[in-house]
């Protein structure tokens, strides 16, 4: 059993990306779905889908990774920031910028999961979940 499902998802995506796999399969959670929604909206993954498989008590999240026409990775890196043993929360004035705006920080706020740019626009701080570039 995995205690940190976000770190598990990011690690599976990172490993599949390094091996140039097209898809990643993992058990779904609402938080993982929201993170995938952000990754798709920002253009880091091609698509994601949630499906109930037969004889399994949980739904499966299928993530389709995105590559350029030359086969290069669109997603360069993923890093988990806030962990179950050490939560990292920041006010709006200290929201991080990843690679001077080339990447995104995924923030969990009281209004839901959003990017650092959306959190600045909504004037909200929160827990820094991950960096993506």
């Amino acid at each position: 059993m995995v205690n940190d499902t976000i770190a598990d998802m990011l690690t599976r995506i990172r490993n599949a990306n390094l091996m140039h796999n097209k898809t990643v399969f993992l058990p779904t959670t609402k938080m993982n779905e929201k993170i995938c929604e952000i990754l798709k909206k920002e253009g880091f993954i091609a698509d994601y889908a949630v499906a109930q498989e037969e004889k399994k008590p949980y739904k499966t999240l299928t993530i389709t990774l995105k590559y350029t026409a030359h086969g290069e990775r669109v997603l360069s890196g993923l890093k988990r920031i806030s962990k179950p043993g050490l939560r990292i929360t920041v006010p709006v004035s200290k929201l991080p910028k990843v690679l001077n705006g080339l990447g995104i920080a995924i923030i969990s706020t009281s209004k839901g999961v959003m990017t650092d740019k959306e959190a600045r626009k909504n004037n909200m701080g929160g827990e820094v979940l991950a960096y993506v570039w």
Side-chain angles (χ1 to χ4, degrees), residues 67-119:
Y67 299 98
T68 63
H70 302 291
E72 297 170 0
R73 299 175 190 100
V74 171
L75 187 63
S76 299
L78 297 155
K79 184 177 182 186
R80 177 79 156 117
I81 302 302
S82 184
K83 299 172 181 157
L86 179 64
R87 302 288 185 189
I88 306 296
T89 57
V90 293
V92 67
S93 61
K94 296 192 180 190
L95 281 171
K97 279 194 174 185
V98 180
L99 295 177
N100 279 337
L102 294 177
I104 62 168
I106 299 175
I107 312 290
S108 176
T109 67
S110 59
K111 299 287 183 187
V113 180
M114 58 184 72
T115 65
D116 56 328
K117 295 168 192 160
E118 292 170 341

Side-chain angles (χ1 to χ4, degrees), residues 26-107:
L26 58 141
T28 187
T29 63
K30 288 181 183 179
M31 183 67 79
N32 287 351
E33 285 183 48
K34 294 292 185 186
I35 292 171
C36 285
E37 184 180 313
I38 289 172
L39 292 176
K40 182 179 178 184
K41 185 175 70 174
E42 295 291 325
F44 289 109
I45 61 174
D47 200 9
Y48 73 97
V50 179
Q52 178 71 45
E53 290 189 27
E54 292 182 26
K55 300 180 183 176
K56 289 195 178 179
Y58 54 85
K59 292 181 181 178
T60 302
L61 181 65
T62 305
I63 302 169
T64 307
L65 299 177
K66 189 174 183 180
Y67 299 98
T68 63
H70 302 291
E72 297 170 0
R73 299 175 190 100
V74 171
L75 187 63
S76 299
L78 297 155
K79 184 177 182 186
R80 177 79 156 117
I81 302 302
S82 184
K83 299 172 181 157
L86 179 64
R87 302 288 185 189
I88 306 296
T89 57
V90 293
V92 67
S93 61
K94 296 192 180 190
L95 281 171
K97 279 194 174 185
V98 180
L99 295 177
N100 279 337
L102 294 177
I104 62 168
I106 299 175
I107 312 290

